[in-house]
Amino acid sequence: METQLTWYGHAAFKIKTPSGRILLIDPWVTNPAFESGKDELASLDRVDLIFLTHGHSDHVGNAVEIGKRTGATLVSNFDLSAAMITVLGYPEAQASNETTGHLGGELSLLDGEVRAQFVPAWHGSFVQRGEDATPVYAGCPTGLIVALSNGPRIYHTGDTDLFSDMALVKRFHKIDVMLVCIGDHFTMGPARAAEAVKLVTPKTIIPMHYGTFPVLTGTPEGFERELKKRKLKSELRVMKIGEPIAL
Ligand SMILES: [Zn+2]
């Protein structure tokens, strides 16, 4: 039994747990970098949990549609959960206190197979019903640690700059896989992302949140150079959009 990870492009990932449960993180499946995003979205008929790091549309993505169709449970912080329900119409029964948390707390999900913790991220967070609608505040943004029993411990940084408290992640968690934003402009770029890796010391690093739009200029090549400069031992794995890997 293995854990499978699929990158959908941008900050969106699908995790298949060793027992076959399907978890999505920031599921913007139809982002412009994922050519077969529409087909993938249509084929998602079973989803157990949808994790969100913050409310921006490039992270909420197709969450409401997937939630309505599959009955998936929303896992986010308290403020974002409320905004998802009241502003975007996420089914309230699928976003209860059982799966809603906040910074520092740990949630036990799917009968303990999944443990999740929200950790800080330096960014913003609002939800919006459409591009021209008024933004509605959605609490503070987060990063996310997802630990699978019989599987890896994954840290999704969310959208963030580098900050020194990332070192606290390491104090509590041995991270197997760090999904790290490198795109620059709206988040840290390659050099600051490499410093973040230095603080967290994961076994494997997977870059994300780059290349989706022209302004996201950070590249895996630039990131690799910055990692080498710092002689970091973490293994860089650059994923291809839509192709699952075993963890
Ligand atoms: Zn973003």
Side-chain angles (χ1 to χ4, degrees):
M1 289 302 220
E2 60 180 29
T3 303
Q4 258 185 15
L5 180 72
T6 308
W7 184 39
Y8 284 155
H10 208 57
F13 290 87
K14 175 168 80 174
I15 299 167
K16 188 175 179 193
T17 72
S19 75
R21 309 275 205 152
I22 303 295
L23 323 179
L24 301 180
I25 305 177
D26 288 355
W28 189 24
V29 184
T30 53
N31 73 74
F34 188 10
E35 274 177 28
S36 56
K38 276 191 182 148
D39 296 335
E40 176 67 18
L41 179 63
S43 75
L44 282 171
D45 47 14
R46 153 127 199 245
V47 177
D48 295 283
L49 303 175
I50 297 176
F51 293 90
L52 294 181
T53 61
H54 63 292
H56 293 161
S57 60
D58 60 317
H59 294 258
V60 169
N62 309 99
V64 177
E65 179 185 339
I66 298 167
K68 283 182 178 166
R69 200 174 68 225
T70 65
T73 299
L74 181 70
V75 186
S76 72
N77 77 49
F78 194 73
D79 314 68
L80 178 55
S81 178
M84 286 295 294
I85 295 165
T86 57
V87 182
L88 300 186
Y90 199 92
E92 192 170 1
Q94 294 160 225
S96 72
N97 260 344
E98 293 294 308
T99 63
T100 302
H102 227 306
L103 294 172
E106 194 170 88
L107 305 180
S108 177
L109 306 163
L110 302 178
D111 302 318
E113 189 189 351
V114 178
R115 277 169 302 124
Q117 185 168 41
F118 295 103
V119 292
W122 276 106
H123 197 64
S125 183
F126 62 75
V127 297
Q128 218 175 1
R129 219 190 284 256
E131 268 179 37
D132 301 325
T134 308
V136 178
Y137 179 65
C140 64
T142 65
L144 180 69
I145 294 166
V146 176
L148 306 178
S149 52
N150 306 315
R153 196 169 285 221
I154 298 166
Y155 171 33
H156 187 296
T157 62
D159 280 7
T160 187
D161 184 20
L162 166 71
F163 56 101
S164 56
D165 279 357
M166 280 179 172
L168 291 173
V169 168
K170 186 174 73 174
R171 201 185 289 179
F172 292 89
H173 302 279
K174 255 186 144 65
I175 298 296
D176 296 299
V177 181
M178 181 174 176
L179 311 173
V180 56
C181 53
I182 66 158
D184 218 326
H185 199 92
F186 293 115
T187 71
M188 56 192 175
R192 296 168 82 82
E195 285 294 319
V197 170
K198 194 173 172 181
L199 294 178
V200 177
T201 62
K203 273 192 212 137
T204 302
I205 332 155
I206 293 170
M208 62 162 179
H209 212 277
Y210 67 89
T212 330
F213 323 108
V215 294
L216 303 185
T217 54
T219 61
E221 295 74 30
F223 185 42
E224 188 171 22
R225 278 195 297 277
E226 295 295 341
L227 293 167
K228 280 194 175 142
K229 268 189 216 167
R230 292 164 179 80
K231 298 188 171 59
L232 301 179
K233 291 195 185 106
S234 307
E235 181 206 8
L236 175 66
R237 270 182 101 163
V238 179
M239 290 187 72
K240 287 209 175 89
I241 294 172
E243 288 185 18
I245 60 169
L247 295 178

